[in-house]
Amino acid sequence: MLVEGFVERGFERVRDGFAHAQDGDAGGAQLCVYQHGRVVVDLWAGQDPESGKTWDAESLTVLMSVSKGMTATCVHILVDRGLLDLDAPVREYWPEFAASGKADITVADMLSHRGGLSSFDAESGIGAWELTDWSACVAALESMTPLWQPGTAFYYHSLTWGYLAGELIRRVTGKSVGEFLAAEVSEPLGLSLWIGLPESQEYRVVPQFTRRHLPGVADVEAMLSRMGVDMTARLVRATLATVAARDEGLSLLNTRDGHAAEVPSGNGIGNARSVARMFAATIGEIDGVRILTPEAVERARQPQTEGLSHPAPLGMMPRGNYFAHGYELTRPAQLLGDGAFGQVGNGGRIGFAHPESGVAVGYTCTNMVGDDTGGPDPRWQHWSEALRSALT
């Protein structure tokens, strides 16, 4: 496997691990690591077998749920500035949200997947293509009754989370999440990182693809039926609707319409250099720019779902990953240790920071091997083990 880029002295095994991880991978990948504000690893490898587009360090790809980490960072900038209070009810900033039993849902509930709005109702009419209609998605969430008692359980808000957090940003700032990200994060740091890609950058995007079987609606229905789950339950029907939208949405995200829209749960676009640089700027100064204070980082990464289970009738489902205020904790901690925070994206992308070691990581790929709701991507193992070894 031909690996391009560089590593600082002491990180040579990270290059070897990255090469081993990508050996046999049909797609391309990028890995960038910052330590104490400096780039110590910047690697890329592979090709794009589907489109024939060039794959290099500046290539862009869809980041899937890493987009949630980008959006969460925007939220915490506002918390840092005193414009948002994590303990306040969402209705204080977004009055229409209080309808249908949501008056007491806090910003913290919403960010940590505890708010009971994990999927659009099956009858809402929100499918894959409707996800590009911000007003329709927000209106559906405003009128929706929670799927469980908010705060008592958690379940991953795979699609809805971005509209909830993004509308909160819009209500506070008057800017869409993509506009706020550009003005407050991407432009100050010089990032190739967008939610809502400008057409002028479209030529840089390399499509994502997968050759693995993604469990569809029929697969999930069969699994839940074997577990004795009540298939008529509202939460189950809503969850199955999300699975159906996800399947069609993967095709949407390889289109210009899918790139141009703002879908902050999943259509962020960027590269590993930019993901790593953004997370590095949350825990330290990068070329004179730091986007979160140390106090904000401590607040943002506090666990919010430990001790909670999934809501009925999905309580028997594995709890899997735990969350802080908008960031995932479990898999970042598995890679670098307790205290790490960030977000995994479907297919194997990941961005995270580890304040204790001063390290921030961005990994992107075009071949969707991993799963954003399951365990670690198998490609991470070799380079992450080498990274931990280099840091000791």
Side-chain angles (χ1 to χ4, degrees):
M1 170 60 62
L2 175 63
V3 174
E4 300 184 79
F6 88 99
V7 296
E8 278 204 351
R9 182 177 297 176
F11 291 87
E12 293 87 355
R13 287 184 56 204
V14 178
R15 178 197 290 270
D16 297 339
F18 179 71
H20 185 71
Q22 299 308 132
D23 190 29
D25 189 340
Q30 303 161 332
L31 175 65
C32 184
V33 179
Y34 276 73
Q35 184 183 34
H36 303 309
R38 294 171 38 255
V39 179
V40 295
V41 174
D42 186 20
L43 303 171
W44 59 97
Q47 58 187 351
D48 179 55
E50 306 287 315
S51 68
K53 281 191 172 184
T54 299
W55 176 255
D56 58 29
E58 290 298 325
S59 296
L60 307 174
T61 195
V62 178
L63 298 171
M64 301 302 288
S65 285
V66 172
S67 313
K68 293 182 177 73
M70 297 153 57
T71 304
T73 299
C74 293
V75 169
H76 287 292
I77 289 172
L78 297 175
V79 176
D80 216 2
R81 294 175 182 174
L83 299 174
L84 272 176
D85 182 347
L86 294 175
D87 295 324
V90 174
R91 60 178 162 78
E92 289 192 6
Y93 311 100
W94 177 3
E96 296 88 342
F97 182 80
S100 305
K102 301 192 296 297
D104 295 329
I105 295 176
T106 65
V107 174
D109 288 331
M110 189 189 75
L111 292 176
S112 58
H113 304 268
R114 301 185 317 225
L117 303 168
S118 57
S119 295
F120 293 104
D121 267 315
E123 297 78 17
S124 68
I126 303 294
W129 287 92
E130 287 73 27
L131 296 176
T132 64
D133 186 336
W134 188 270
S135 296
C137 291
V138 167
L141 291 167
E142 287 176 346
S143 63
M144 185 175 169
T145 301
L147 294 162
W148 66 86
Q149 181 63 39
T152 63
F154 80 101
Y155 198 76
Y156 188 53
H157 290 44
S158 60
L159 297 179
T160 55
W161 189 94
Y163 302 101
L164 294 166
E167 183 65 11
L168 194 59
I169 291 168
R170 191 182 74 81
R171 294 297 177 121
V172 172
T173 68
K175 296 177 179 178
S176 71
V177 61
E179 292 168 342
F180 187 85
L181 176 77
E184 302 292 340
V185 179
S186 296
E187 290 174 10
L189 287 166
L191 307 182
S192 292
L193 202 62
W194 295 271
I195 296 174
L197 184 74
E199 190 168 9
S200 63
Q201 300 297 320
E202 186 68 32
Y203 74 98
R204 297 171 61 189
V205 181
V206 177
Q208 60 184 3
F209 66 95
T210 185
R211 293 175 179 172
R212 67 183 175 94
H213 173 70
L214 294 171
V217 172
D219 299 302
V220 177
E221 282 182 332
M223 178 191 70
L224 294 177
S225 293
R226 288 194 299 269
M227 297 171 70
V229 171
D230 177 5
M231 303 302 293
T232 66
R234 181 168 159 246
L235 173 58
V236 174
R237 291 186 290 109
T239 302
L240 291 173
T242 290
V243 174
R246 179 209 64 191
D247 292 347
E248 188 176 355
L250 291 177
S251 298
L252 170 64
L253 290 179
N254 272 339
T255 69
R256 173 60 196 153
D257 286 345
H259 298 162
E262 294 190 21
V263 186
S265 281
N267 85 328
I269 290 177
N271 52 36
R273 284 177 170 174
S274 295
V275 172
R277 188 173 174 86
M278 184 200 79
F279 276 103
T282 66
I283 61 171
E285 192 172 289
I286 306 297
D287 295 332
V289 177
R290 177 165 183 167
I291 55 178
L292 293 180
T293 64
E295 295 77 16
V297 170
E298 285 305 304
R299 185 169 50 238
R301 65 175 176 161
Q302 290 304 305
Q304 297 298 305
T305 59
E306 291 183 354
L308 295 179
S309 61
H310 290 329
L314 299 179
M316 76 291 293
M317 299 290 288
R319 284 182 293 180
N321 305 312
Y322 290 97
F323 297 93
H325 291 114
Y327 295 115
E328 181 184 334
L329 300 176
T330 305
R331 285 174 288 186
Q334 289 170 348
L335 294 182
L336 271 193
D338 290 344
F341 65 95
Q343 185 63 48
V344 175
N346 194 2
R349 296 87 166 169
I350 187 170
F352 64 98
H354 187 235
E356 286 73 12
S357 62
V359 167
V361 177
Y363 173 81
T364 66
C365 52
T366 59
N367 185 8
M368 299 180 69
V369 173
D371 179 356
D372 71 340
T373 60
D377 188 297
R379 291 169 295 189
W380 303 342
Q381 177 183 355
H382 299 285
W383 58 258
S384 65
E385 288 178 351
L387 179 58
R388 288 196 301 273
S389 177
L391 295 173
T392 57

